[in-house]
């Protein structure tokens, strides 16, 4: 019979699979050929949903879900789907719950009809059904049922199944978004779930804590150590949330303490060698790490082998903002290993590497080869790689420095204009960061001036100008070399840069001043130059003329004092005699002007008739400043003021203070003043003396499940032997016997003793029962004797009355003997 039933069940299963395959094939053919199949399918789906056969209902639900995920109208089946919410088939129940969560907001009144059935599922024997019901109830976004959801979460927090408790933890943020007024109840649920013994329940509980009550750090104290121990076993999302929580917790609860330690100074073998080097031991400060914080660091080290890049970045963030440098050195390798993943992950990892390099570049110096640009790299990736190379340049060895310069020189001769421009800028940043390599970088940039690419030449000259300004006295010959290229350069920006440099060197050495000759050559083609070049020519003329005025100050005319005429005959006579002679004197010829003055006036004349308003205004301003000797000092302050040494920062300088591992670091602070919505920086370190008591982390500490699992069978046996010994000692004390040590016996003897003791106990129980029976029998005999004694007394009294004898003791004894009584 069993064989026949098995065969029939197999045939039924095969028949069902065949029907499903046929229906799916027919539906595919119908939807591809029949234009009216959509309406027919809707009617057919409703018939399937209204069927009493679970297989047909499941088929109808599959069709509805497929319509829903294809973004086709499926709301028309809402009432038919809600009818099946109480189905006993778990597959149908899953699909119904998915449909309800998706469409409950569109039909809130109809969705409320399914709440009673979902509540009944909360008490189902299957934990999977209970978890699905709780998840569905919290996912139905109808504010009316917020209290019902809160009660369901409360029931789920105390459920025996960890799967249901996990669903309760995931439902807490949903209930909070549904009704923020339920937060007092939700905080209690979060506090309960944080102390759960299952690691996959604690992870969602931490996520709920960060969303519902992130400021309640007091709830974490007693669960801190258990969270750290469960960190390794959690899933990736739980690890991310827990690392974020513990990083904030460490800043708020562990003050940053340092300790001064003496560092030994190396001396010679003999005390007489180098007596000057003998000095006291140097003291330096080291970071003192709290034991609980060190426990977190040890757990985080294990997460560096995670397959998820976000977990690795979170561990690096923990080490960067909390740990001593040696922990960060161990995390650099896994962070660089993320460059072997997809391009999207590389892009995010490179931004985080840049942020770490700006603070601690030294650990990355041995991974320079990983940041070389490849041909398949996209522009965002090679820009970040070039930036990392320039940051690491001063911290690398000589071999890697030459490697970086050769790479940048190679890319500066490429065909991609953006890559060429960034390579030249990177060379400039390398020269700024390392003065020893500045000369070589300058020679590489000078070779770019003869290029036909105008953008390359302009960018190279800008970088060269920055390098020359750092030490102008040493680059006079460099400026002369640049002047030689003025005849061949056509880029206005490049020509303006060279003319500005000539103006800066116009007054360094008067004997070797070549600025007037350059100005004389430039004014010949003044009208053909662009406006930016004309402005620099006028500025060069003003500087040359100002240096000329400072070397040859003009003599100011002395004012002639006015003399009052005296009314005397002698004065009038002399005046009349010499008056005719003065009138007869010839006028003196004006002195010839020098060449620099004539050149300056020619420049002003050219600018006066130019079409640019800005150029004419500049020339008028310079003319007014240099016309009067009294304003020469003001002109020198304006034109010859020392220029600040330019320093080109790294492109990601604005992201230096942003928190790594966040989206704001990737998009930059330009999105808003405080970054993206929800971005929060880490709090400052708590001050020493204001941190919570370390004893708070000792509360609620019990034996962990991992500790119980790690106990071996031999240790369990030893514990059982000790317990048995204690029990035996207590029994011997009660019985007044001396205890025999049990720990020296073997396992067989111990088991035999248990059998003998059990037999002795049973024998003692039987003896006690017999004694009780004997006692009860003796009591019954004594009662019978007392009754017989009373009857004898009554017979004696009657006998005395009848015989009339005197009541004496002897007579009574005789009477008793005659009667046969004792």
């Amino acid at each position: 019979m069993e064989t026949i039933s098995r065969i029939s069940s197999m045939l039924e299963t095969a028949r069902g699979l065949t029907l499903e395959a046929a229906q799916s094939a027919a539906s595919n053919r119908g939807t591809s050929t029949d234009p009216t199949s959509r309406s027919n399918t809707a009617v057919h789906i409703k018939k399937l949903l209204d069927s009493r056969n679970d297989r047909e209902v499941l088929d109808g639900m599959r069709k509805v879900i497929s319509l829903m995920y294809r973004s086709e109208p499926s709301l028309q089946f809402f009432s038919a789907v809600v009818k099946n919410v109480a189905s006993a088939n778990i597959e149908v129940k899953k699909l119904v719950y998915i449909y309800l969560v998706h469409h409950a907001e569109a039909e809130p009144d109809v969705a409320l009809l399914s709440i009673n059935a979902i509540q009944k599922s909360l008490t189902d024997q299957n934990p999977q059904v209970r978890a699905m019901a709780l998840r569905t109830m919290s996912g139905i976004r109808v504010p009316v049922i917020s209290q019902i959801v809160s009660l369901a979460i409360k029931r789920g927090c105390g459920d025996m199944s960890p799967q249901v408790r996990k669903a309760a933890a995931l439902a807490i943020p949903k209930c909070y978004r549904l009704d923020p007024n339920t937060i007092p109840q939700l905080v209690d649920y979060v506090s309960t779930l944080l102390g759960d013994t299952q690691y996959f329940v604690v992870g969602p509980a931490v996520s709920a804590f960060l969303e519902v009550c992130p400021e309640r750090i007091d709830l974490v104290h007693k669960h801190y150590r258990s969270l750290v121990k469960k960190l390794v076993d959690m899933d990736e999302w739980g690890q991310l949330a827990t690392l974020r929580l513990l990083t904030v917790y460490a800043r708020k609860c562990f003050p940053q303490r340092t300790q001064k330690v003496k560092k030994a100074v190396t001396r010679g073998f003999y005390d007489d060698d180098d007596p000057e080097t003998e000095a006291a031991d140097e003291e330096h400060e080291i970071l003192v790490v709290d034991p609980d914080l060190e426990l977190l660091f040890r757990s985080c080290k294990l997460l560096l082998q995670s397959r998820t890049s976000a977990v690795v970045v979170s561990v690096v963030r923990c080490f960067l903002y909390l740990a001593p440098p040696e922990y960060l050195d161990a995390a650099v390798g896994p962070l660089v290993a993320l460059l072997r993943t997809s391009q999207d992950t590389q892009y995010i990892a490179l931004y985080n590497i840049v942020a770490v390099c700006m603070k601690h570049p030294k650990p990355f110096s041995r991974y320079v080869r990983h940041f070389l640009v490849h041909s398949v790299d996209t522009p965002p990736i090679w820009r970040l790689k070039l930036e990392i190379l320039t940051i690491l340049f001063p911290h690398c060895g000589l071999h890697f420095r030459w490697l970086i310069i050769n790479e940048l020189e190679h890319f500066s001769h490429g065909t991609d204009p953006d890559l060429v421009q960034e390579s030249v800028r990177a060379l400039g940043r390398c020269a700024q960061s390392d003065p020893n390599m500045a000369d070589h970088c300058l020679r590489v940039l000078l070779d770019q001036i003869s290029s036909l690419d105008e953008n390359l030449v302009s960018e190279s000259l800008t970088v060269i100008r920055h390098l020359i300004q750092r030490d102008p006295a040493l680059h006079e010959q460099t400026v002369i070399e640049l002047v030689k290229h003025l005849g061949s350069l056509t880029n206005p920006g490049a020509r303006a840069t060279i003319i500005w440099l000539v103006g800066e060197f116009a007054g360094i050495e008067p004997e070797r001043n070549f600025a007037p000759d350059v100005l004389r050559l430039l004014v010949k083609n003044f009208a053909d130059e662009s406006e930016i070049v004309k402005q620099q020519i006028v500025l060069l003329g003003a500087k040359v003329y100002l240096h000329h005025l400072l070397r040859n100050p003009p003599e100011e005319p002395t004012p002639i004092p006015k003399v009052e005429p005296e009314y005397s005959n002698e004065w009038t006579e002399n005046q009349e005699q010499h008056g005719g002679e003065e009138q007869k004197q010839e006028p003196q010829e004006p002195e010839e002007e020098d060449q620099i003055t004539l050149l300056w006036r020619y420049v002003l004349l050219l600018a006066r008739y130019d079409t640019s308003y800005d150029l004419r205004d500049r020339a008028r301003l310079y003319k007014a400043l240099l016309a009067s000797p009294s304003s020469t000092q003001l002109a020198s302050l304006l034109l010859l003021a020392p220029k600040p040494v330019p320093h080109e920062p790294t492109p990601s300088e604005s992201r230096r203070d942003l928190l790594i591992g966040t989206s704001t670091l990737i998009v930059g602070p330009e999105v808003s003043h405080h970054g993206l919505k929800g971005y929060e920086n880490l709090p400052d370190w708590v001050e020493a003396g204001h941190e919570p008591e370390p004893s708070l982390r000792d509360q609620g500490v019990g034996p962990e499940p991992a500790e119980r699992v790690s106990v071996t069978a031999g240790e369990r046996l030893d514990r059982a032997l000790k317990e048995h010994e204690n029990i035996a000692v207590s029994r011997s004390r009660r019985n007044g016997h001396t205890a025999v040590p049990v720990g020296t016996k073997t396992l067989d003897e111990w088991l035999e003793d248990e059998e003998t003791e059990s037999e002795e106990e049973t024998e003692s129980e039987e003896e006690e029962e017999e004694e009780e029976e004997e006692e009860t029998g003796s009591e019954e005999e004594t009662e019978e004797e007392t009754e017989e004694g009373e009857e004898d007394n009554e017979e004696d009294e009657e006998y005395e009355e009848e015989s009339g004898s005197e009541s004496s003791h002897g007579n009574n004894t005789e009477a008793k003997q005659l009667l046969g009584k004792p």
Side-chain angles (χ1 to χ4, degrees):
M1 294 299 292
E2 293 180 0
T3 306
I4 295 173
S5 62
R6 288 179 183 178
I7 294 173
S8 61
S9 62
M10 291 171 64
L11 291 174
E12 183 67 23
T13 305
R15 177 177 175 276
L17 293 175
T18 305
L19 289 174
E20 288 181 2
Q23 289 175 1
S24 61
S27 62
N28 292 333
R29 288 196 303 271
T31 53
S32 60
T33 58
D34 189 4
T36 61
S37 60
R38 186 169 298 177
S39 60
N40 294 333
T41 303
V43 175
H44 179 63
I45 290 174
K46 286 186 178 179
K47 288 182 179 179
L48 292 176
L49 294 175
D50 294 336
S51 176
R52 295 185 179 182
N53 189 357
D54 290 343
R55 189 180 299 279
E56 294 180 355
V57 174
L58 181 60
D59 187 20
M61 287 302 305
R62 287 174 179 172
K63 294 179 183 296
V64 172
I65 297 299
S66 64
L67 291 174
M68 185 179 70
Y69 282 108
R70 288 201 302 265
S71 299
E72 296 183 10
S74 58
L75 189 60
Q76 54 184 333
F77 307 109
F78 196 91
S79 58
V81 170
V82 171
K83 295 178 183 178
N84 298 300
V85 71
S87 176
N89 192 338
I90 189 171
E91 298 296 332
V92 174
K93 195 182 290 291
K94 287 180 182 179
L95 298 178
V96 171
Y97 286 167
I98 293 172
Y99 184 88
L100 280 175
V101 172
H102 192 270
H103 289 295
E105 284 184 307
E107 295 286 343
D109 296 334
V110 182
L112 292 176
L113 300 176
S114 62
I115 297 299
N116 291 332
I118 297 175
Q119 280 184 304
K120 291 180 180 178
S121 299
L122 292 174
T123 58
D124 195 274
Q125 294 181 355
N126 190 350
Q128 186 178 3
V129 175
R130 299 199 300 270
M132 284 194 307
L134 182 55
R135 192 180 301 115
T136 306
M137 184 175 291
S138 60
I140 297 176
R141 292 175 292 273
V142 180
V144 181
I145 63 171
S146 60
Q147 294 298 327
I148 300 176
V149 175
S150 177
L151 293 175
I153 294 173
K154 181 179 180 181
R155 177 179 294 178
C157 292
D159 198 280
M160 295 296 293
S161 174
Q163 186 177 1
V164 181
R165 298 199 299 272
K166 179 181 178 181
L170 294 172
I172 289 175
K174 300 177 184 178
C175 183
Y176 174 69
R177 298 189 208 109
L178 193 64
D179 186 8
N181 295 326
T182 58
I183 190 169
Q185 308 165 15
L186 299 179
V187 170
D188 295 338
Y189 306 155
V190 169
S191 178
T192 302
L193 293 174
L194 284 176
D196 200 279
T197 57
Q198 298 294 332
Y199 60 87
F200 53 86
V201 179
V202 176
V206 172
S207 301
F209 174 84
L210 291 175
E211 184 168 351
V212 175
C213 52
E215 70 284 350
R216 292 290 304 274
I217 297 295
D218 56 313
L219 300 178
V220 187
H221 292 318
K222 58 183 179 180
H223 306 301
Y224 171 79
R225 293 172 185 168
S226 63
L227 288 175
V228 172
K229 293 177 182 178
K230 296 183 181 73
L231 182 61
V232 182
D233 298 325
M234 294 180 186
D235 59 342
E236 287 83 355
W237 296 106
Q239 289 172 351
L240 292 174
T242 307
L243 285 172
R244 179 184 168 192
L245 171 62
L246 294 179
T247 305
V248 176
Y249 180 86
R251 281 293 189 97
K252 291 185 176 181
C253 300
F254 298 106
Q256 199 172 20
R257 294 188 176 94
T258 57
Q259 182 180 1
K260 290 185 177 180
V261 179
K262 291 184 178 181
K263 183 179 180 181
V265 180
T266 57
R267 296 184 176 89
F269 182 77
Y270 298 102
D271 294 338
D272 297 337
D273 294 345
D274 298 333
E276 296 180 358
T277 59
E278 294 182 2
D281 294 340
E282 298 179 0
E283 290 186 354
H284 66 285
E285 292 185 351
I286 61 172
L287 191 64
V288 179
V289 182
D290 190 273
D292 285 337
L293 190 58
E294 190 174 2
L295 178 66
L296 173 62
F297 296 156
R298 290 199 301 268
S299 298
C300 289
K301 267 190 174 181
L302 302 175
L303 299 182
L304 291 173
Q305 302 176 1
S306 176
R307 61 184 179 182
T308 306
S309 58
V311 177
V312 177
V313 173
S314 297
V315 174
V316 174
R317 176 176 59 189
C318 180
F319 288 163
L320 178 64
Y321 298 112
L322 300 179
E326 56 268 17
Y327 287 96
L328 184 62
D329 295 345
V332 168
L335 183 60
V336 176
L338 298 179
L339 300 180
R340 295 195 292 265
T341 55
S342 62
Q343 290 187 349
D344 296 338
T345 307
Q346 286 185 45
Y347 179 65
I348 298 173
L350 284 171
Y351 263 116
N352 289 278
I353 291 173
V354 169
V356 179
C357 280
M358 286 191 292
K359 296 183 178 181
H360 298 281
K362 190 64 177 177
F364 292 90
S365 59
R366 60 181 181 270
Y367 299 103
V368 171
R369 295 184 182 274
H370 292 78
F371 305 111
L372 298 178
V373 179
H374 301 284
S375 58
V376 295
D377 290 339
T378 58
I381 291 178
W382 58 250
R383 288 177 191 274
L384 292 172
K385 285 187 174 181
L386 291 180
E387 183 179 358
I388 294 173
L389 290 176
T390 56
I391 294 174
L392 300 180
F393 183 79
H395 304 280
C396 299
L398 187 60
H399 171 70
F400 285 122
R401 294 182 191 179
W402 283 107
L403 176 64
I404 293 172
I405 291 178
N406 292 334
E407 285 289 319
L408 296 177
E409 183 180 3
H410 169 72
F411 289 122
S412 63
H413 294 287
T415 57
D416 188 357
D418 294 333
L419 181 57
V420 170
Q421 185 177 10
E422 287 297 328
S423 301
V424 172
R425 291 178 181 176
L427 277 172
R429 291 197 298 270
C430 291
Q432 289 179 2
S433 60
D434 188 4
N436 297 327
M437 305 295 292
D439 294 337
H440 183 75
C441 294
L442 185 60
R443 287 194 297 269
V444 173
L445 294 171
L446 287 173
D447 294 339
Q448 310 290 345
I449 297 177
S450 58
S451 176
L452 299 177
D453 189 358
E454 296 182 354
N455 294 326
L456 172 60
V457 174
S458 177
E459 194 66 36
S460 300
L461 282 172
T462 303
V463 177
I464 290 172
R465 176 172 62 84
H466 292 169
L467 296 177
I468 291 175
Q469 284 184 258
R470 298 177 68 86
D471 195 356
L474 297 178
H475 294 91
E476 181 182 358
Q477 190 63 31
T478 305
V479 178
I480 295 174
E481 292 292 332
L482 293 176
V483 172
K484 294 179 181 179
H485 292 278
L486 275 176
S488 60
L489 290 177
T490 58
N491 190 349
R495 295 178 61 84
T497 301
I498 295 176
I499 296 171
W500 184 87
L501 287 173
V502 173
E504 288 296 308
F505 283 87
I508 293 180
E509 293 185 7
E511 295 79 8
R512 303 177 60 182
N513 188 7
F514 54 87
D517 292 333
V518 177
L519 180 62
R520 179 179 56 84
L521 296 173
L522 290 172
V523 295
K524 293 181 180 180
N525 298 320
F526 183 85
D528 299 332
E529 300 285 355
S530 61
E531 183 178 354
I532 185 174
V533 179
K534 291 179 181 178
Q535 292 176 0
Q536 293 300 326
I537 292 174
V538 173
L539 180 60
L540 176 60
K543 289 181 179 180
V544 170
Y545 183 62
L546 178 59
H547 283 295
H548 174 70
L549 292 178
L550 293 176
R551 288 193 297 268
N552 304 310
E555 297 180 359
E556 295 185 2
T558 58
I560 301 175
K562 187 177 181 181
V563 181
E564 295 290 336
E566 296 181 358
Y567 298 96
S568 61
N569 295 329
E570 296 179 357
W571 184 84
T572 55
E573 290 176 358
N574 294 330
Q575 190 74 14
E576 290 175 358
Q577 291 177 0
H578 296 286
E581 296 177 358
E582 292 177 358
Q583 294 177 0
K584 293 178 182 179
Q585 292 179 357
E586 295 180 358
Q588 297 180 358
E589 295 181 0
E591 297 180 358
E592 294 183 0
E593 296 180 347
D594 57 311
Q595 295 180 355
I596 294 179
T597 305
L598 291 175
L599 188 60
W600 168 238
R601 289 188 176 181
Y602 182 63
V603 170
L604 291 177
L605 188 63
L606 291 173
R608 180 180 180 181
Y609 295 101
D610 195 83
T611 57
S612 173
Y613 292 97
D614 187 15
L615 184 63
R616 295 201 300 266
D617 292 341
R618 287 171 184 265
R620 193 177 296 113
L621 173 64
Y622 298 149
K623 180 181 179 181
L625 283 174
L626 301 175
S628 175
S630 60
S631 61
T632 305
Q633 190 69 22
L634 178 60
S636 62
L637 291 175
L638 291 176
L639 299 177
L640 305 180
K643 308 301 186 296
V645 178
H647 178 74
E648 186 177 358
T650 183
S652 298
E653 186 66 27
S654 60
R655 293 179 168 91
R656 177 182 290 272
D657 297 328
L658 294 178
L659 192 65
I660 70 169
T662 58
S663 301
T664 305
L665 178 67
I666 310 301
V667 300
E670 293 82 8
V671 290
S672 65
H673 181 66
H674 299 289
L676 293 175
K677 183 180 179 182
Y679 172 79
E680 291 183 3
N681 210 337
L682 286 179
D684 297 330
W685 287 95
V686 63
E687 297 180 1
H690 294 81
E691 73 275 10
E693 292 293 334
S695 59
L696 295 175
R697 291 188 286 275
D698 297 333
Q699 297 179 4
V701 178
E704 296 292 334
E707 295 179 358
R708 291 198 296 268
V709 173
S710 62
V711 176
T712 61
E715 292 177 353
R716 293 182 180 179
L717 182 60
D718 293 340
R719 292 180 183 177
L721 290 174
K722 290 179 181 179
E723 293 176 359
H724 180 71
E725 182 179 358
N726 295 332
I727 294 171
V729 170
S730 60
R731 286 182 179 178
S732 62
R733 288 177 180 175
R734 286 199 306 267
N735 298 329
H737 302 292
T738 57
V740 181
V742 185
T744 58
K745 295 182 179 181
T746 62
L747 179 61
D748 297 332
E749 293 176 353
W750 181 59
L751 295 173
E752 290 176 359
D753 291 342
E754 284 187 350
E755 292 178 357
T756 54
E757 286 179 0
S758 60
E759 291 177 357
E760 291 176 357
E761 288 178 358
T762 52
E763 291 177 358
S764 61
E765 290 177 357
E766 291 177 356
E767 292 177 355
E768 289 177 358
E769 291 177 357
E770 292 177 356
E771 290 177 356
E772 290 177 358
E773 292 177 356
E774 291 177 355
E775 289 177 357
T776 52
S778 60
E779 289 177 357
E780 292 176 355
E781 290 178 355
T782 52
E783 289 177 356
E784 292 177 354
E785 289 178 355
T786 52
E787 291 177 356
E788 290 178 355
E790 291 177 355
E791 292 178 354
D792 293 338
N793 292 332
E794 292 177 356
E795 291 178 353
D796 293 338
E797 290 176 358
E798 292 177 354
Y799 176 77
E800 289 176 354
E801 291 177 355
E802 292 177 356
S803 59
S805 59
E806 296 178 356
S807 58
S808 62
H809 182 69
N811 296 331
N812 291 333
T813 54
E814 292 177 357
K816 291 179 180 179
Q817 290 177 359
L818 292 173
L819 293 173
K821 302 295 181 182

